[in-house]
């Protein structure tokens, strides 16, 4: 079949495509999708998580082109391991797996199968242990979750056992696989990709984590402060199959007992911290994250990116203005093209230059993107800014000069208020926050990376939560990340991305940017429980009237504060809807002389000096509140 021969087999495709004049530089849709092999396999994980006396088997649904198998050729694998295929669905349309009367897979959620199978890839969708048709128990990013997916990578490489049924003994072998695997997924799915990569499993060539967690503690807590929502046991109950709920009660109790809501770091969190094993990562990483993702905050991306930086891992990143949104829904055509080239290079071996292209794509305004050769840019350097008193209580300045000894600001925690309330009245004396602003900038000022804020504070009660947020004070049109679509609007018409069948069309509802006009934008946040000032291992009550020093880590970002706008640092207590309040509502006194913020300016201190050189320190502050977006209510991780 000459048309099929246009797609060269991996891994030989790279050398052949590079060496042969006129050879294709990308995989082409030359294989039949409707004739593709669709099958289910159960892979032995080697773990008896549900305690039934036999090793758990996880269900693996496979769709792969038939023609290569008929020719004795093998194909690489795009793999998405998820707990959501039956409970909640995947993608903007919440697609679930479907099966025919004989139990054979019909619909594979998302577009991966429709697009990649005709191009010579297999697509493998894994039900994590305890979900859908798999044995075992969900353990929320722990040993069982990661082993579920790792075992499938091993099976695809001939190192694990697979079976043709859930309980039978007939073997199923992946003799059609080259062993080259790329894991992809949003949210929980991308988190599993991070965790499997951190095992260093051979055969995993690349991962594409989208809005993914790098350490589960940081999903449920922020430096000891409980984030809104329930614990990991509740998430396990949500995603587990009905059968698993009955047999996995002991695992759920262990999740609840191991994750107390007091914010202490426990062994449960150590097991679910992938950062500590970043040195084992050998797969390339194409990370995607919404800079306004308040579900899986960009702290997860930032610390994962930094941990991989010294390991020689090839990396790429897209940072959008959206919230917890898949790039298929905010930059569809460019995303599918970029992902295609990424998988072609790392899984099929095409020398298409993708690894030599700019490392970062950053969304500056809805639908407007810039690129950086390296991220953060090499000119980025931490610069220390200091809060100082201003013209009125709680209305201070932010600059390079330290406040005089004895200078203080105070606020009283008000759990009813959030970052938008604080920012909208940053130029007014209000009881619940202390705000510090630069004068209007005379040049653009870009922050790229993670920030820290070091504070010495004195609480009036035995408990206190702190928030620190960075704000761009000035008008802008941004994605409406606080709306239900978190920055996108879903339309009625559809576009098709690959081939389809009656049961799996490959056509998806189109989207567009959902925008809002604002007068301020909160672009980075950090929270902490002051009772954990000495570390996360054990928090405790505070002594009222005693000063404590703590450093808050703020989430990674890439934001340009334009000329004419002001940069603000706001310090306050509970950030409503995002952080659970402390047991008391203290009055907190901030020692300004001991406070400082380390901010990652592109151009370092010189860039800040240039942007503030001709500013009038006696500028007139606006009198009216500045409107912004209110943080959305907590959402399910998906």
């Amino acid at each position: 079949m000459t048309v099929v021969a246009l797609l060269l087999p991996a891994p030989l495709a790279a050398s052949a495509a590079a060496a042969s004049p006129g050879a294709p530089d990308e995989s082409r849709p030359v294989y039949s999708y409707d004739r593709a092999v669709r099958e289910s396999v159960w892979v032995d994980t080697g773990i008896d998580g549900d305690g039934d006396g036999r090793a758990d088997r996880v269900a693996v649904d496979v769709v792969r082109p038939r023609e290569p198998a008929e020719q004795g050729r093998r194909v690489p694998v795009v793999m998405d391991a998820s707990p959501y295929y039956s409970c909640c669905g995947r993608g903007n349309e919440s697609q679930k797996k479907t099966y025919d009367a004989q139990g054979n897979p019909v619909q594979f959620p998302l577009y991966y199968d429709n697009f990649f199978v005709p191009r010579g890839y297999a697509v493998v969708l894994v039900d994590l242990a305890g979900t859908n048709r798999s044995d075992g128990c969900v353990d929320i990013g722990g040993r069982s979750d990661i082993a579920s997916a790792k075992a499938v990578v091993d099976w695809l490489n001939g190192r694990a056992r697979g079976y043709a049924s859930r309980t039978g003994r007939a073997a199923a072998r992946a003799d059609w696989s080259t062993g080259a695997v790329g894991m992809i997924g949003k949210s929980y799915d991308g988190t599993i990709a991070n965790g499997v990569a951190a095992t260093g499993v051979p055969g995993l060539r690349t991962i594409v984590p989208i809005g993914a967690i790098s350490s589960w503690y940081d999903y449920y807590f922020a430096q000891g402060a409980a984030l809104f929502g329930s614990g990991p046991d509740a998430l396990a109950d949500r995603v587990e199959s009905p059968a698993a709920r009955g047999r996995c009660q002991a695992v759920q109790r262990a999740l609840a007992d191991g994750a107390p809501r007091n914010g202490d770091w426990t062994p449960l969190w150590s097991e679910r911290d992938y950062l500590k094993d970043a040195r084992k990562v050998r797969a390339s990483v194409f990370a995607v994250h919404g800079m306004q993702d308040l579900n899986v905050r960009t702290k997860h991306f930032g610390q994962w990116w930094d941990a991989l930086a010294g390991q020689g891992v090839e990396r790429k990143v897209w940072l959008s203005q959206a919230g917890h949104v898949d790039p298929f829904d905010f930059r569809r055509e460019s995303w599918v093209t970029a992902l295609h080239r990424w998988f072609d290079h790392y899984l099929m071996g095409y020398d298409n230059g993708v690894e030599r292209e700019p490392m970062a794509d950053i969304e500056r305004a809805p639908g407007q993107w810039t690129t950086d050769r390296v991220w953060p840019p090499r000119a980025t350097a931490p610069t220390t800014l200091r809060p100082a008193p201003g013209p009125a209580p709680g209305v201070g300045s932010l600059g390079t000069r330290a406040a005089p000894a004895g200078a203080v600001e105070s606020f009283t925690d008000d759990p009813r208020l959030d970052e938008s309330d604080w920012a909208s009245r940053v130029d007014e004396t209000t009881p619940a926050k202390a705000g510090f602003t630069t004068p209007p900038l005379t040049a653009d000022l870009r922050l790229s990376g993670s920030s820290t804020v070091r504070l010495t504070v004195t609480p009036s009660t035995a408990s206190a939560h702190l928030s620190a947020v960075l704000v761009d004070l000035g008008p802008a049109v941004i994605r409406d990340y606080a709306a239900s679509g978190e920055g996108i609007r879903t339309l009625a018409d559809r576009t098709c991305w690959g081939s389809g069948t009656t049961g799996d069309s490959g056509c998806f509802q189109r989207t567009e940017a959902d925008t809002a006009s604002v007068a301020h934008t909160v672009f980075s946040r950090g929270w902490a429980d002051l009772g954990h000032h000495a570390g996360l291992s054990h928090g405790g009550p505070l002594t009222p009237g005693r000063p404590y020093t703590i450093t808050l880590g703020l989430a990674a970002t890439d934001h340009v504060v334009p000329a004419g706008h002001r940069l603000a640092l706001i310090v306050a207590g509970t950030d409503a809807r995002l952080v659970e309040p402390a047991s008391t509502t203290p009055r907190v006194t901030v020692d300004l002389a001991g406070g400082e913020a380390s901010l990652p300016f592109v151009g370092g201190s010189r860039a800040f000096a240039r942007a503030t050189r001709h500013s009038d320190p006696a500028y007139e502050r606006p009198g009216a509140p500045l409107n912004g977006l209110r943080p959305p209510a907590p959402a399910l991780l998906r």
Side-chain angles (χ1 to χ4, degrees), residues 182-231:
M183 291 186 68
I184 187 171
K186 176 193 166 193
S187 199
Y188 203 135
D189 306 16
T191 301
I192 298 302
N194 283 344
V196 175
T199 70
V201 59
L204 183 60
R205 302 286 183 84
T206 191
I207 62 171
V208 185
I210 301 166
I213 292 168
S214 56
S215 179
W216 281 89
Y217 175 90
D218 294 314
Y219 182 72
Y220 288 102
F221 298 97
Q223 293 183 231
L227 301 174
F228 260 112
S230 49

Side-chain angles (χ1 to χ4, degrees), residues 47 59 116 120 152 211 218 244 253 269 277 280 344 356 363 404 422 444 453-454 467 563 607 615:
I47 295 175
F116 285 106
V152 179
D218 294 314
R253 283 196 301 272
W269 302 122
D277 292 321
K280 299 178 183 178
D344 270 3
R356 299 185 293 274
E363 188 175 29
W422 308 329
D444 293 354
V453 175
R454 183 176 182 270
S467 298
S615 295

Side-chain angles (χ1 to χ4, degrees), residues 225-242:
L227 301 174
F228 260 112
S230 49
D233 54 315
L235 179 55
D237 185 66
R238 173 70 185 270
V239 302
E240 277 181 335
S241 65

Side-chain angles (χ1 to χ4, degrees), residues 141-175:
R143 178 171 175 250
S144 177
D145 271 9
I146 302 306
S148 297
K150 178 181 179 294
V152 179
V153 177
D154 285 330
W155 174 71
L156 291 165
N157 281 272
R159 298 188 300 267
R161 292 174 294 176
Y163 298 90
S165 65
R166 188 169 187 169
T167 58
R169 301 180 64 85
R173 295 180 176 84
D175 51 9

